[in-house]
Amino acid sequence: MKVNFPHVFRPITLRSMTVRNRVVMMPMGSDFAGHDGELSDEHIRYYELRARGGTGLIIVENICVKYPEGSNGTTQLRIDKDSYIPRLFNLTEACHRQGACIGIQLNHAGASAMSSRIGMQPVSASTLPSKPGGETPRPLSREELEAIAKDYGIGAKRAVNAGFDLIEIHAGHSYLISQFLSPTMNDRTDEFGGSAKNRSRFCRMVIDQVRAAIGPHVPISLRLSVDELVAGGNTIEDCLEYLEYLQDEVDLFDTSAGLNPTIQYQIDANYLEDGWRAYMAKAVRDRFHKPTIAIGNIRDPQVAEDILARGMRTLSDWAGG
Ligand SMILES: Cc1cc2nc3c(=O)[nH]c(=O)nc-3n(C[C@H](O)[C@H](O)[C@H](O)COP(=O)(O)O)c2cc1C
């Protein structure tokens, strides 16, 4: 296998993390967490088996940095208290024993939380819902945003104490940071709305808090909806523009796509071709020259090898067969 796919099995080092190959398990809500936000034994076993299978880097599903308002579901992991550290440590140990690196995705759901579950009006950039027909959220003040950015930092520090090798910040998929980045959910007129620089300001605050909390050795990954694929939403060009303000201190771009109304492109419908959205990863990598994860129905290892070997296929490459 290693002989056939030399690019896939080439190690990569980001700050103090060396990953044995280019195979990344994307963050995926597993529904294995308890209602108290703890990892279950089943959960640990599930990730350990992926590590044993040879995955280079596992990025654990989105974990809640601020509870209850940032919560994304009744079976979502939490990292808003120190008491979660011991079981998270058991998880990182289990995966490290199998030779894998392990990161975790920090998240605040913002307007994608449900008031019936969190017991209050969901919060966001503005009053625009995060999906058609969704609840009307309450816009956050600057003071509240500073406090939430600190919560990301505190969560990141807990994750590093629990042994995680990488911190991923979820800035896509219609969650709180994405609610600031996307003009479809942000109609603010203050320093957090309007221009690309303003819409990226909250994300910049989060990245800075995370870096300050974890120090210089642990890599940061930024998960993006590169092309939101919705009318009036960010296109690839818009994403490249706001990334100018965000790329500092980011070591890895995790190039997802889509928002709530375009979920078929976010959790790739089966009919989409293998590697169909690698061109988004290419656009980000070509602009910023940093390691970038390509995503999207990469079911055939030869497709992964080709994407890496050719520096990512473009849409026209695909059209040409
Ligand atoms: C059940 C499920 C849960 C998911 N949970 C998350 C998540 O917690 N965070 C996230 O950024 N993406 C999430 N995703 C999107 C995946 O990370 C991934 O980008 C997408 O499924 C495409 O994966 P693929 O490259 O294997 O086709 C989820 C997808 C599925 C199917």
Side-chain angles (χ1 to χ4, degrees):
M1 198 120 161
K2 288 189 184 182
V3 175
N4 291 337
F5 305 114
H7 292 86
V8 171
F9 288 98
R10 202 157 39 111
I12 183 169
T13 297
L14 304 176
R15 298 196 187 234
S16 62
M17 176 183 79
T18 297
V19 186
R20 61 185 162 185
N21 58 44
R22 304 301 173 100
V23 180
V24 186
M25 178 180 174
M26 292 292 97
M28 275 179 292
S30 63
D31 274 348
F32 285 143
H35 286 196
D36 54 0
E38 280 278 15
L39 278 161
S40 62
D41 291 342
E42 203 176 13
H43 223 152
I44 295 175
R45 187 79 184 127
Y46 160 78
Y47 282 114
E48 185 180 20
L49 283 172
R50 269 71 196 169
R52 195 168 138 200
T55 306
L57 171 65
I58 291 170
I59 305 180
V60 170
E61 64 205 66
N62 76 106
I63 190 166
C64 180
V65 294
K66 188 168 168 59
Y67 188 85
E69 54 267 50
S71 172
N72 185 30
T74 44
T75 54
Q76 189 197 10
L77 288 169
R78 286 170 55 186
I79 197 162
D80 57 311
K81 292 190 293 187
D82 286 345
S83 57
Y84 292 112
I85 295 174
R87 286 193 70 78
L88 289 169
F89 182 72
N90 292 346
L91 168 66
T92 59
E93 282 289 279
C95 292
H96 286 153
R97 271 197 298 273
Q98 301 297 338
C101 292
I102 180 164
I104 192 155
Q105 184 185 61
L106 304 182
N107 195 26
H108 186 303
S112 291
M114 291 163 63
S115 59
S116 56
R117 196 160 48 211
I118 65 174
M120 63 186 82
Q121 187 182 12
V123 295
S124 186
S126 61
T127 55
L128 297 170
S130 73
K131 60 181 175 201
E135 290 185 60
T136 301
R138 176 179 70 78
L140 288 158
S141 68
R142 177 173 237 289
E143 292 68 34
E144 288 176 303
L145 291 169
E146 280 168 0
I148 294 171
K150 279 198 181 113
D151 289 327
Y152 276 87
I154 295 165
K157 181 72 182 162
R158 286 193 183 109
V160 171
N161 287 343
F164 285 94
D165 305 293
L166 168 137
I167 300 298
E168 177 161 289
I169 297 167
H170 198 344
H173 300 176
S174 301
Y175 293 116
L176 184 61
I177 297 177
S178 158
Q179 288 154 26
F180 277 82
L181 291 172
S182 178
T184 64
M185 293 174 282
N186 181 352
D187 63 1
R188 287 175 87 113
T189 52
D190 66 357
E191 61 184 322
F192 293 99
S195 66
K197 185 175 186 182
N198 283 356
R199 284 183 283 110
S200 57
R201 196 178 301 277
F202 173 55
C203 188
R204 183 70 258 165
M205 286 160 59
V206 170
I207 295 167
D208 290 343
Q209 287 292 337
V210 168
R211 176 56 74 208
I214 66 178
H217 302 301
V218 178
I220 294 176
S221 167
L222 190 63
R223 174 150 256 213
L224 303 158
S225 289
V226 173
D227 193 330
E228 296 178 349
L229 298 162
V230 295
N234 287 312
T235 61
I236 295 180
E237 275 311 311
D238 297 325
C239 175
L240 296 177
E241 187 186 355
Y242 71 65
L243 282 182
E244 295 287 349
Y245 304 102
L246 299 178
Q247 63 134 348
D248 274 0
E249 300 298 336
V250 172
D251 304 289
L252 182 64
F253 291 112
D254 183 353
T255 58
S256 192
L259 294 180
N260 279 339
T262 44
I263 196 148
Q264 70 274 28
Y265 302 121
Q266 196 187 110
I267 57 170
D268 306 69
N270 260 344
Y271 61 81
L272 294 161
E273 222 178 332
D274 272 45
W276 71 276
R277 52 179 160 127
Y279 66 96
M280 298 184 196
K282 177 177 169 54
V284 173
R285 205 214 42 178
D286 285 356
R287 176 69 65 91
F288 298 103
H289 309 289
K290 290 189 183 187
T292 302
I293 305 173
I295 302 150
N297 283 356
I298 304 177
R299 293 163 288 206
D300 179 342
Q302 189 60 53
V303 172
E305 179 65 18
D306 289 351
I307 289 171
L308 291 166
R310 298 171 58 184
M312 313 293 175
R313 288 183 172 196
T314 64
L315 251 194
S316 51
D317 286 334
W318 285 115

